[in-house]
Amino acid sequence: MPGSVGRRRAALLKKPVRPVDVTRVRGLGDLLKQFQSTSIQARNLGRCLEVWENALTDRKRPTILLGLSGPLIAAGLRKVLRDLVDWGVVDVVVSTGAVLYQDLYQSIGGRHWMGSPTADDLMLRELYLDRIYDTYVDELKFEETDRSIGRITDEFPRRPASSREYLGFLGARFPDPDSILATAARRGVPVFSPALIDSSIGIGLTLHYQANRGRKDRFILDAVRDNFELVQILAGSPRTGVIYIGGGTPKNWINDGIVMANYAFGREGEGHHYALQITTDVPHWGGLSGSTLDEAQSWGKISKTATRAMAHVEASIGLPLLAGALWNRRALWRPRPRLKFQWSEDQVRVRRGPT
Amino acid sequence: MPGSVGRRRAALLKKPVRPVDVTRVRGLGDLLKQFQSTSIQARNLGRCLEVWENALTDRKRPTILLGLSGPLIAAGLRKVLRDLVDWGVVDVVVSTGAVLYQDLYQSIGGRHWMGSPTADDLMLRELYLDRIYDTYVDELKFEETDRSIGRITDEFPRRPASSREYLGFLGARFPDPDSILATAARRGVPVFSPALIDSSIGIGLTLHYQANRGRKDRFILDAVRDNFELVQILAGSPRTGVIYIGGGTPKNWINDGIVMANYAFGREGEGHHYALQITTDVPHWGGLSGSTLDEAQSWGKISKTATRAMAHVEASIGLPLLAGALWNRRALWRPRPRLKFQWSEDQVRVRRGPT
Amino acid sequence: MPGSVGRRRAALLKKPVRPVDVTRVRGLGDLLKQFQSTSIQARNLGRCLEVWENALTDRKRPTILLGLSGPLIAAGLRKVLRDLVDWGVVDVVVSTGAVLYQDLYQSIGGRHWMGSPTADDLMLRELYLDRIYDTYVDELKFEETDRSIGRITDEFPRRPASSREYLGFLGARFPDPDSILATAARRGVPVFSPALIDSSIGIGLTLHYQANRGRKDRFILDAVRDNFELVQILAGSPRTGVIYIGGGTPKNWINDGIVMANYAFGREGEGHHYALQITTDVPHWGGLSGSTLDEAQSWGKISKTATRAMAHVEASIGLPLLAGALWNRRALWRPRPRLKFQWSEDQVRVRRGPT
Amino acid sequence: MPGSVGRRRAALLKKPVRPVDVTRVRGLGDLLKQFQSTSIQARNLGRCLEVWENALTDRKRPTILLGLSGPLIAAGLRKVLRDLVDWGVVDVVVSTGAVLYQDLYQSIGGRHWMGSPTADDLMLRELYLDRIYDTYVDELKFEETDRSIGRITDEFPRRPASSREYLGFLGARFPDPDSILATAARRGVPVFSPALIDSSIGIGLTLHYQANRGRKDRFILDAVRDNFELVQILAGSPRTGVIYIGGGTPKNWINDGIVMANYAFGREGEGHHYALQITTDVPHWGGLSGSTLDEAQSWGKISKTATRAMAHVEASIGLPLLAGALWNRRALWRPRPRLKFQWSEDQVRVRRGPT
């Protein structure tokens, strides 16, 4: 073997895989640190922690956006998500409507029940139970939730508004301490849902529309305003980081936001500086949910120099590991100043607030 | 073996698997008929054809809704999708914004180029090329597309409108015969995009919003109006069938439409009567994209008596097989009367038109 | 845009994606040629055809090895597989035991029956029916098959033998013209099963072992002899090509064969020259079934200059498309001289035979 | 709502999903207990723990078989696997050859190095580095490992033997305390590899075969003997439990063992009583690796009354969670008497040993 081969080998063989030793795991933070020296998806999950911690400890204080999709409340992640908002490890939330609807459903007393993925669906239909894989939800309580949302929407100002404004309103009106929306409202964390009409919240909104369509001064979900608000937040942030739980509309929209911001403000801005995703999708179907964070670099959505990681693990397992590790290791990133979003209609200024 | 066992066995063992014989395949229709007597996903794809043909030959003339998600234009499916609309085998289209944007990009001369999934994304970034898995698109032509959309949007009426109305407008203004939007506009097929802002069309709309936000009489994408229009179509149809290419917002929204229609019109209506999906997602992640059509029955979104099929195959392979088989076997369903949608602002009447 | 950027762009943008036109598909060969100018998995499947055709038309006449795994007989692929052997488009078969067992089960009259993936498995248990996803097989006929294999094994020479020798014997004794094993025996195509004991054929062999274990002169499945026979075939071939339907032991073993051949014959040989795989597995789990053909190049198992393609599609759909396309386009590769394997105990010489 | 509906609902709605609270996780045992009251794959993983613990605390003292496949050593699981054997929570190991080879490679000083899944494989080829997804192994050290295996095999008795006997021999000769094989040898835990020839151990065996093929008294890997040994263990166990890490040959062979045992010993025995699998495969491809444990019940491989669970999570994440939880909660199952396997050539008696 010529010396040059030896040197090139040595340059590649720097870090050995270190076997996980579960007899020495002192907590989830410790486990994920161990994962960082393993391989396959454990390593990727460990790197997701590293990316998140890098974003949290960056002295430029990046704005961190959390994208949510999938059956997260059914999966038992409501407390974890609420905690992430409460701890201040995310600054903006972008979610599917379904996640937020199910958050509200719990706020007014609905529950998710342990069921079976092989249940008889026609029997469930008769019993007014709806199945989410291995979980049942109560259609009667859904009706109550929809009616509640409908009633409360009547109190919302009769004018065009973004999903962020409307969701902030809902969060304030259903002040359940375990709620994601309520915690976000209390903490001043903006919550967007760019496809809000595609959810049971949309059902309530449809009824509201139907009842008010004759009026000139009705509440209109002014979808494009969401975009305008998002791009201001991105443009007003020294840096941005993104945390994607699943893919879907939230991932795509947050990523696209960079391109929109560049167009809208005539700048050639950088992409997101920190990016992590846990997903069950794969790159080779070509869709955006499973596309690599490298691919997003070709579009300029992720910065050329971004630290980034993608772990293929379902959120009900992956997210508690990440969140628990962050909590274990909170001395690292605490205290973190919160962002203060100063809204004036559709305009926003992003300020660094107190810790 | 007792006789009763023999009888119960005989009741289950009716149809043997018949091996595919590729030396006797006379076309795609023939291949998919052969698939119907095989197993695993070939059988499922064969059954998808059967479900679609059942919907097409149902004398009650169901309204067939097509849900589109994924990188379908990049995948080379633009002609297939345009044909489905042109042939009249679908009556309503619900799509992600990305599919429709890329349709427009091609209408103004943009192309998708064969590339590599292992390309150097930072190099592509420098060259203003954006990667979609193994395909490149031209960022410079994207800019031109966005500017064109922006300019033309100035001509759109300055008032709240649904995505359906706006997309009909775009389809009429970019009359490329190969275009999905243009063909739909010509054929009077409504096209919805419930998350339109989450796409490059949304970029154009954001610029438009920015330029017009001071005005009282501006164009507003009135998202909830989409819901109101959809539920009228569903409520006005004797029966409905759904074709899902992928999942995402289109699948969820069309399925949810049933629940909305029941609420909005106070009826306890049935779910969709025919349902087929080709997908790369799986049920056990619990998300809506991969959820079974049985699960949707527990929600009442799919009728208790629906014929339904779900095939796990990526659309670039699965859709040409289905569409080609429909075409081969067009004697079966032709002529099919088209639907006529009579719009009066946000109200619609669905009429059976000429064949 | 500087000129150098334009030139570099032009160098990358050579081949546009051409939309599939199903109204102009004249057969499966034509469809797969169209797929070659699309994207995502359709393109990959089209490239699989190209790789196979390249191997078939290479004037050095590569030895083509077919690796089989998965529920291929249940899936309705028995005729397709038998045809591939009969046409001479593969020269060596390596299979899981299960595929070959189910081939024999059909040779003695067993059938696969169309069933349901949501069947009641405890009820099937009572009825002596075994489920393979959506297909039922007959446990009573399995017993008959096992007994037949057992009886016939008594006629096999009482000495150590490879799986190849034993499977050739079975193929000759069950001369069903629709059988893979029988067709291979008739055509002189060697069939290996490196994990043969892990199958219902293994059950018959276990009974045979039990009945003969006292004897000195018993039939022993001499597993390592399979390796020795394989490496001779590889070493005796000017070039090799591999076709993997699924992954599993066949893929790994055929790939490893290159390394074994290099060791056993002291040469620094090249890897396989042509390689294609259709698979439902993915690279990011790190396993061999889903590993990329590029990864195999780092091991020297696939040649540095190999043409190779991997399509993510399940075999019941993907294999009929490939085989049908080969058949449509048979003028391209016919006549192809067959290989003649001259066996002398565990030694083999590979000769080019008549077409 | 009629009363009967209320009662039927109440019967289904017994256990609410309880959100995970990562601020109260005291260890992995606690986390997995929390997972048992959630949904989707976290619940399934929690149930895997429950099944394993049920097997460990069953007073009939089931024999627990561990099936191993996938890149487990590369993934950093060597210590975890060695611990499972050492703690006595598994009684028999069935593995792919690759896992065991890489165990030996580490025993003689080889390492797995952290690399990249997007490495340049042709460059790695030049540097004698082999890639396993995101990990590199050293081909030069592989050669040394192969030579070592070859040399030591010369000391193995010159007669037919099972993989279990040969692997026990290797485990004794490479007494690395961190080794799975060495720990198994020390603890008397049988290790089988029904497809041993399909691995780099098979390369060593091929060279040994080549050097000894003239001899009458050579070592023969007598594959069917593995089956005979396995069925005796199964038949000699009051009950059996199975733990599948991945699928592949080990899962299929252990499951098939039940059928073999019934045939070989003329009994109508039950299937495995406890069954758990963590896997990245899915049921709908129809293969054995991803097939449900219910499907195995139709074959009689899993008992009708088995407790069973299947979690879709990759092993590098899922296995440390399970093993760590078992360790945290060891007070539950300790002390557990070990099994004593009394071998007399190919015959074995299974005795309950001391704790």
Side-chain angles (χ1 to χ4, degrees), chain B residues 130-255:
Chain B
D130 299 343
R131 183 165 69 83
I132 302 171
Y133 187 55
D134 59 358
T135 302
Y136 306 144
V137 283
D138 183 349
E139 209 168 296
L140 305 178
K141 198 78 187 177
F142 269 12
E143 263 195 71
E144 190 186 329
T145 306
D146 298 349
R147 271 198 304 270
S148 296
I149 293 175
R151 265 196 311 273
I152 273 185
T153 301
D154 289 338
E155 301 171 24
F156 191 77
R158 297 186 168 276
R159 58 167 174 75
S162 65
S163 74
R164 188 263 325 157
E165 206 173 349
Y166 177 67
L167 292 167
F169 165 84
L170 291 182
R173 291 302 169 97
F174 294 100
D176 175 1
D178 294 334
S179 158
I180 302 163
L181 274 176
T183 304
R186 184 167 53 81
R187 288 295 197 180
V189 168
V191 180
F192 293 90
S193 186
L196 185 61
I197 57 166
D198 172 34
S199 72
S200 291
I201 297 179
I203 296 176
L205 290 173
T206 305
L207 299 178
H208 185 85
Y209 177 96
Q210 192 180 24
N212 290 274
R213 52 195 271 261
R215 306 178 60 134
K216 282 259 157 169
D217 63 337
R218 61 192 172 86
F219 160 43
I220 297 179
L221 189 63
D222 181 3
V224 185
R225 184 167 162 173
D226 281 48
N227 289 13
F228 186 68
E229 292 183 359
L230 174 70
V231 297
Q232 290 176 79
I233 292 174
L234 297 177
S237 300
R239 283 184 164 178
T240 50
V242 293
I243 318 285
Y244 297 133
I245 310 305
T249 292
K251 176 186 178 186
N252 194 46
W253 192 66
I254 295 174
N255 266 1

Side-chain angles (χ1 to χ4, degrees), chain B residues 307-330:
Chain B
T307 64
R308 58 199 187 280
M310 190 176 196
H312 293 276
V313 59
E314 193 257 320
S316 68
I317 293 173
L319 188 56
L321 293 180
L322 277 179
L326 281 179
W327 182 249
N328 275 182
R329 295 163 53 81
R330 60 193 178 277

Side-chain angles (χ1 to χ4, degrees), chain C residues 77-276:
Chain C
L77 295 171
R78 191 173 184 238
K79 173 72 165 64
V80 170
L81 292 171
R82 172 243 172 262
D83 281 353
L84 295 176
V85 171
D86 196 41
W87 301 342
V89 295
V90 298
D91 301 304
V92 176
V93 175
V94 179
S95 176
T96 63
V99 170
L100 303 176
Y101 176 78
Q102 306 218 359
D103 180 55
L104 290 173
Y105 163 78
Q106 290 219 358
S107 292
I108 70 154
R111 301 181 91 163
H112 292 69
W113 300 91
M114 293 177 71
S116 162
T118 59
D120 175 346
D121 289 301
L122 297 185
M123 184 263 286
L124 293 179
R125 179 87 199 108
E126 281 172 24
L127 301 181
Y128 305 99
L129 297 177
D130 300 343
R131 184 165 69 83
I132 301 171
Y133 187 54
D134 59 358
T135 302
Y136 306 144
V137 284
D138 184 349
E139 209 168 296
L140 304 178
K141 197 78 187 174
F142 268 13
E143 263 194 72
E144 190 185 328
T145 307
D146 297 349
R147 272 199 303 270
S148 296
I149 294 174
R151 267 196 309 275
I152 274 186
T153 300
D154 288 339
E155 301 171 26
F156 190 78
R158 298 186 168 278
R159 56 167 175 75
S162 66
S163 74
R164 190 262 323 156
E165 205 173 352
Y166 178 66
L167 291 167
F169 165 82
L170 291 181
R173 291 302 169 98
F174 295 100
D176 174 1
D178 294 334
S179 157
I180 302 163
L181 274 176
T183 305
R186 183 167 54 83
R187 288 295 198 180
V189 167
V191 180
F192 293 91
S193 186
L196 185 62
I197 56 166
D198 172 33
S199 73
S200 291
I201 297 179
I203 297 177
L205 291 173
T206 305
L207 299 178
H208 185 86
Y209 177 96
Q210 192 180 23
N212 291 275
R213 52 195 272 262
R215 305 178 60 133
K216 282 260 157 170
D217 62 339
R218 61 191 173 85
F219 160 43
I220 297 178
L221 189 64
D222 181 2
V224 185
R225 183 166 161 175
D226 281 49
N227 290 13
F228 186 68
E229 293 183 359
L230 174 71
V231 298
Q232 290 175 79
I233 292 173
L234 297 176
S237 300
R239 282 184 166 180
T240 51
V242 294
I243 318 284
Y244 297 133
I245 310 304
T249 293
K251 176 186 178 186
N252 195 46
W253 191 66
I254 295 174
N255 266 1
D256 259 4
I258 290 294
V259 184
M260 294 180 203
N262 291 350
Y263 271 76
F265 295 97
R267 56 164 204 161
E268 182 66 31
E270 274 188 299
H272 300 298
H273 237 80
Y274 301 94
L276 70 93

Side-chain angles (χ1 to χ4, degrees), chain A residues 70-71 98 102 121-122 124-126 129-133 137 139 142-143 146 160 194-195 197-200 202-203 205-207 209-210 213 218 220-228 231 248-250 252-253 256 259-260 262-265 268-269 280-281 283-288 292 294-295 297-300 303-304 314 346-347, chain B residues 70-71 98 102 121-122 124-126 129-133 137 139 142-143 146 160 194-195 197-200 202-203 205-207 209-210 213 218 220-228 231 248-250 252-253 256 259-260 262-265 268-269 280-281 283-288 292 294-295 297-300 303-304 314 346-347:
Chain A
Q102 306 218 358
D121 289 301
L122 298 185
L124 293 179
R125 179 88 199 105
E126 282 172 23
L129 297 177
D130 299 344
R131 183 164 69 84
I132 302 171
Y133 186 55
V137 284
E139 209 168 297
F142 268 13
E143 263 194 72
D146 297 351
I197 57 167
D198 172 32
S199 73
S200 291
I203 297 177
L205 291 173
T206 305
L207 299 178
Y209 178 97
Q210 191 180 25
R213 52 196 271 262
R218 60 191 173 85
I220 297 178
L221 189 63
D222 181 2
V224 184
R225 185 167 160 173
D226 281 49
N227 289 13
F228 186 68
V231 298
T249 292
N252 195 47
W253 191 66
D256 260 4
V259 184
M260 294 180 202
N262 291 350
Y263 271 77
F265 295 97
E268 182 66 33
T280 55
D281 205 342
H284 53 256
W285 306 132
L288 282 156
T292 64
D294 295 1
E295 181 176 313
Q297 290 181 314
S298 75
W299 296 74
S303 161
K304 290 181 188 182
E314 192 257 320
D346 63 1
Q347 256 186 311
Chain B
Q102 306 217 359
D121 288 301
L122 297 185
L124 293 179
R125 179 89 200 106
E126 280 171 26
L129 297 177
D130 299 343
R131 183 165 69 83
I132 302 171
Y133 187 55
V137 283
E139 209 168 296
F142 269 12
E143 263 195 71
D146 298 349
I197 57 166
D198 172 34
S199 72
S200 291
I203 296 176
L205 290 173
T206 305
L207 299 178
Y209 177 96
Q210 192 180 24
R213 52 195 271 261
R218 61 192 172 86
I220 297 179
L221 189 63
D222 181 3
V224 185
R225 184 167 162 173
D226 281 48
N227 289 13
F228 186 68
V231 297
T249 292
N252 194 46
W253 192 66
D256 260 3
V259 184
M260 294 181 203
N262 290 350
Y263 271 77
F265 295 97
E268 183 65 32
T280 56
D281 205 342
H284 53 256
W285 306 131
L288 282 155
T292 64
D294 295 2
E295 181 176 312
Q297 289 181 314
S298 75
W299 296 74
S303 162
K304 290 181 188 183
E314 193 257 320
D346 63 2
Q347 257 186 310

